[in-house]
Amino acid sequence: MLVSIGIKPILQLNHQLKDALFQDDKISITGTVLDKATDTPIPFASVSVVGREQHVQSNGKGYFTLLLRPEDRRHSLRISSLGYVSREYKVEALLDKAGSGGVSLFLELKHRSLKEVEVTAKAQKWKAQRVGYHIDEGTSFHYRFTPSGTAYTVTAGQEIGTRIRVKRKQAVLQSVSFGLAGSGNAAVKVGVKLYSIKDNLPYQNLLHKPAIISIEPHHTGWITVDLEKHNITVEGDFALVVEWLSETTRLNSGSLMTFATTPKGQVTYYRAAGAEPWRIRKSTLLDVKSIGMYATLLYQR
């Protein structure tokens, strides 16, 4: 049984209905991110409104849908992906040329130069793989956050997480995601932690600085936290953990997207505070056997 998250249907943008997209004060824009040289889709590219925190990630075929506000028509979209030069597009111009299939947004591979010698770097080919549990179940829509590196001064919060199994020897961690069933009546602070594994339990935190995000009240859906700037390379299994830092909204059975059955191989860790020992499975603070949580890893081809 899946907890309902209540995401509103997203409007399909098309040229004929452009002037009717102000229902509920929202506009949606859809499109595909493509490699300019090969015209092939770029998976898991970041699409954001310049000057705003909200952004989304294209799917495995480069396709995305982004929900906008009417005033965003005056702004620009920034498109970025690992190994490519970021590019900005005017929202107004995209709305003017959008057809029923959405817009095509192109990125160029990065090139590097050395003194007195101009070279074109061989393009690194990366394969993205999402590893974890209940990937995109409930909804495929993600809210993307860039974490702050500032510690949040509050006593250690409740932590819950899962073991992420790395099938290959080495991978770069791009982002982590967890399903949020409801953030409650107040904004909450959530810390993302990554632990090495020792004796089948979380051991040492792999992050050199805090990764804290702030979530608005009544927020539901998949939360994706961008960790590319942390430059983390994983060489084995690790524990992906979220820590509830806000005293006003404690972690409870309605906080995370939960499922009735445990997927094969999922191990759930929890502890009530940072100084307490880790425990596995049935928790007194979140009485479920299964939670939605996964990581996006990049493997070099």
Side-chain angles (χ1 to χ4, degrees), residues 123-272:
Q124 288 183 322
K125 294 184 178 180
W126 297 87
K127 180 180 181 181
Q129 182 178 10
R130 292 186 287 182
V131 182
Y133 303 93
H134 301 294
I135 297 171
D136 280 355
E137 290 187 38
T139 176
S140 60
F141 193 80
H142 288 62
Y143 297 92
R144 196 171 183 88
F145 289 83
T146 300
S148 69
T150 305
Y152 186 64
T153 54
V154 70
T155 55
Q158 296 165 315
E159 295 178 75
I160 188 167
T162 191
R163 181 169 184 160
I164 301 297
R165 302 186 184 276
V166 181
K167 296 182 179 180
R168 302 185 188 180
K169 290 184 178 180
Q170 192 176 76
V172 175
L173 182 62
Q174 183 183 48
S175 64
V176 298
S177 303
F178 58 93
L180 192 66
S183 57
N185 297 323
V188 296
K189 298 284 185 180
V190 175
V192 174
K193 292 186 174 182
L194 305 171
Y195 290 96
S196 60
I197 302 290
K198 183 178 180 180
D199 298 328
N200 294 319
L201 291 173
Y203 181 52
Q204 292 181 328
N205 194 354
L206 301 176
L207 292 177
H208 299 296
K209 58 182 180 180
I212 311 296
I213 62 172
S214 180
I215 303 176
E216 298 175 356
H218 306 293
H219 205 83
T220 61
W222 282 102
I223 305 298
T224 294
V225 183
D226 189 349
L227 295 179
E228 282 193 51
K229 292 183 179 179
H230 287 258
N231 296 318
I232 301 169
T233 299
V234 292
E235 298 182 353
D237 293 359
F238 62 93
L240 166 57
V241 172
V242 295
E243 181 180 17
W244 220 248
L245 295 174
S246 297
E247 294 291 343
T248 55
T249 310
R250 303 294 288 174
L251 181 63
N252 56 60
S253 59
S255 298
L256 299 177
M257 190 182 296
T258 60
F259 298 78
T261 58
T262 305
K264 183 179 180 181
Q266 183 174 26
V267 178
T268 300
Y269 307 107
Y270 76 94
R271 61 180 176 180

Side-chain angles (χ1 to χ4, degrees), residues 51-91:
R52 285 184 54 196
E53 290 187 2
Q54 182 181 350
H55 51 298
V56 297
Q57 189 179 46
S58 65
N59 65 15
K61 296 182 179 180
Y63 183 82
F64 71 91
T65 297
L66 180 63
L67 203 61
L68 304 174
R69 300 174 301 191
E71 55 267 32
D72 291 333
R73 296 172 68 97
R74 302 187 299 272
H75 292 226
S76 299
L77 290 189
R78 178 180 290 118
I79 317 299
S80 60
S81 183
L82 190 65
Y84 288 86
V85 179
S86 298
R87 184 175 177 183
E88 294 184 5
Y89 289 85
K90 293 291 186 181
V91 172

